[in-house]
Amino acid sequence: MDISELMWVEKYRPKRIDEIVNQKDVVTSAKKIVADATEMPHLLFVGPAGVGKTTLALCLARELLGENWRDNTLELNASDERGINMIREKVKMFARFTSVQNVPFKIIILDESDEMTNDAQTALRRIMEDTSRTTRFILICNYLSKIIEPIQSRCVIFRFKPLEKNDIISHLEKICKKEDIKYDNKALEEIYEFTEGDLRHSINILQAAATLGYVNTSNVKSIIGVSDKKKVKEVLLLALSGKFTDARNKLIELVRVYGLSESDFLKLANEELQSIHEPKLIERLAEYDYRLAVGAHADIQLAAFLAEIAKIGKDINFDISKYSKDG
Ligand SMILES: Nc1ncnc2c1ncn2[C@@H]1O[C@H](COP(=O)(O)OP(=O)(O)O)[C@@H](O)[C@H]1O
Ligand SMILES: [Mg+2]
């Protein structure tokens, strides 16, 4: 099955602007842009995590560019793409390749723009100017104050808000009904209290709780109570004790259902592995961290990483009884 079917956050990601929950102000502005596409300015989306920024950017691309939107939309992540030079190259190539399709312009979505240094942002501003005849940027960030003024002044700013309790609860209810999952309202409230208006996180907790059979408060509590760190530890311990397949399945669940990023997995793995004084483990970790940084396929790399951990566990006769205690 496709990942987008497995993960409810993807399965239920709105395809059209009209399906976006709340965010009334930005939705109204977005619709105006669609109504008069030739005048589209660069956009700067600001707001907390999991409230619809990327979703609206993709909906806009779809509605502005029509059926060939995918070919004419470039999605970049400012913190993943190493450095402004990489971004410049990608943007140049993308802007240059003249489209045979009938679109007014191409769209570049640049996520986590506020992770860029000021120098990089200055360079970005120049790139935006150089390509402005053929492309429009949608910059996404959490904090407006981290974006340099010359960029701010060239964009129309869209402010996203945390979603409200009613929005979150009724959205979760809808998903439960579509998935035919049993749920208690109290449990959905519990999810809202914990995620504070982050709908992505809410849906991920819902899905994880649903895998326990019933979305009630005790299942929600047990999902919330297990920290990412503990889950990563569980994966590592499985691998070290030679249970490669179990470790890999657990890892896939962590990434797909709980939404942990692969690089965060390695960061937490690093913290965990410090307590096992085995230099080989850290050495391997560093190698795989590097591979992910240069853009290797994360699924494959992490599976290989676990396979190596399993092998090292065997070589050092790893004794699980020393490490399985909490902490
Ligand atoms: N306003 C919203 N309306 C509908 N779904 C949303 C909304 N915000 C978040 N979601 C859900 O959460 C997921 C992540 O949202 P996304 O737009 O990527 O958040 P971010 O603001 O971090 O970019 C979406 O795939 C969707 O399932
Ligand atoms: Mg996003």
Side-chain angles (χ1 to χ4, degrees):
M1 210 193 296
D2 199 303
I3 291 188
S4 58
E5 280 294 298
L6 276 173
M7 283 191 65
W8 292 355
V9 276
E10 288 308 328
K11 187 172 176 185
Y12 295 102
R13 189 195 285 276
K15 296 261 185 312
R16 309 205 52 85
I17 296 173
D18 266 329
E19 295 161 17
I20 287 178
V21 174
N22 206 323
Q23 307 300 2
K24 294 203 179 71
D25 295 345
V26 299
V27 162
T28 307
S29 309
K31 283 186 179 163
K32 282 188 191 140
I33 287 174
V34 173
D36 187 6
T38 53
E39 293 301 314
M40 177 173 169
H42 297 305
L43 305 178
L44 177 53
F45 288 4
V46 187
V51 298
K53 301 183 300 299
T54 302
T55 303
L56 180 62
L58 295 172
C59 288
L60 268 171
R62 210 180 266 114
E63 294 187 28
L64 285 164
L65 307 183
E67 59 172 345
N68 295 318
W69 73 279
R70 261 277 155 233
D71 294 337
N72 292 288
T73 304
L74 177 65
E75 264 187 278
L76 296 174
N77 189 310
S79 66
D80 282 358
E81 316 293 329
R82 306 270 130 169
I84 186 71
N85 289 332
M86 185 93 91
I87 292 180
R88 183 186 289 116
E89 283 313 305
K90 287 198 172 168
V91 168
K92 254 212 240 154
M93 292 242 283
F94 176 72
R96 191 184 299 142
F97 129 89
T98 38
S99 125
V100 284
Q101 296 132 3
N102 191 20
V103 290
F105 41 73
K106 299 175 194 193
I107 292 180
I108 297 173
I109 301 171
L110 184 58
D111 216 331
E112 306 201 25
S113 312
D114 49 356
E115 297 289 316
M116 300 172 89
T117 62
N118 282 7
D119 283 350
Q121 290 187 31
T122 303
L124 172 66
R125 175 197 148 191
R126 204 153 303 133
I127 297 170
M128 290 168 76
E129 279 168 0
D130 291 347
T131 56
S132 68
R133 214 174 48 78
T134 52
T135 52
R136 296 292 179 278
F137 280 79
I138 301 178
L139 306 179
I140 300 181
C141 70
N142 294 131
Y143 304 102
L144 186 59
S145 59
K146 290 207 219 157
I147 301 290
I148 59 172
E149 202 283 330
I151 288 186
Q152 288 191 31
S153 63
R154 276 169 181 76
C155 296
V156 171
I157 297 170
F158 278 34
R159 289 172 200 276
F160 288 70
K161 301 191 186 89
L163 291 161
E164 281 156 32
K165 185 171 178 181
N166 287 341
D167 294 330
I168 299 249
I169 290 180
S170 60
H171 195 72
L172 296 181
E173 272 187 312
K174 236 185 255 167
I175 294 177
C176 287
K177 282 177 186 148
K178 285 200 180 129
E179 295 290 330
D180 207 9
I181 296 291
K182 276 213 303 180
Y183 67 95
D184 289 343
N185 259 307
K186 188 92 192 58
L188 302 186
E189 276 179 32
E190 200 104 21
I191 294 178
Y192 168 78
E193 299 302 336
F194 185 70
T195 62
E196 299 178 325
D198 175 340
L199 188 48
R200 179 199 290 113
H201 198 184
S202 304
I203 296 172
N204 279 330
I205 292 174
L206 182 79
Q207 184 170 12
T211 62
L212 302 176
Y214 179 16
V215 182
N216 56 15
T217 49
S218 89
N219 283 341
V220 165
K221 280 205 177 101
S222 75
I223 295 297
I224 291 171
V226 187
S227 65
D228 285 347
K229 201 165 167 209
K230 263 195 196 157
K231 287 180 237 155
V232 169
K233 180 176 183 176
E234 211 183 337
V235 172
L236 294 172
L237 290 177
L238 283 168
L240 278 164
S241 43
K243 294 177 183 143
F244 170 73
T245 308
D246 291 345
R248 206 185 63 174
N249 289 343
K250 199 92 215 151
L251 172 66
I252 291 173
E253 182 183 311
L254 253 181
V255 172
R256 298 195 182 162
V257 179
Y258 292 82
L260 186 74
S261 76
E262 282 92 353
S263 55
D264 281 349
F265 175 83
L266 288 184
K267 260 183 230 152
L268 293 170
N270 181 40
E271 288 171 24
E272 278 307 320
L273 292 177
Q274 302 298 339
S275 61
I276 304 168
H277 302 284
E278 181 51 56
K280 265 194 211 133
L281 290 171
I282 305 299
E283 221 175 87
R284 299 323 296 150
L285 182 88
E287 167 67 22
Y288 283 90
D289 182 51
Y290 178 75
R291 291 187 192 177
L292 287 195
V294 297
H297 196 292
D299 275 2
I300 298 172
Q301 292 304 325
L302 287 192
F305 173 64
L306 292 180
E308 288 208 38
I309 296 267
K311 187 169 171 298
I312 294 170
K314 203 169 160 210
D315 291 347
I316 63 176
N317 283 320
F318 178 74
D319 179 5
I320 193 166
S321 65
K322 283 194 203 154
Y323 297 96
S324 45
K325 305 206 173 53
D326 277 354

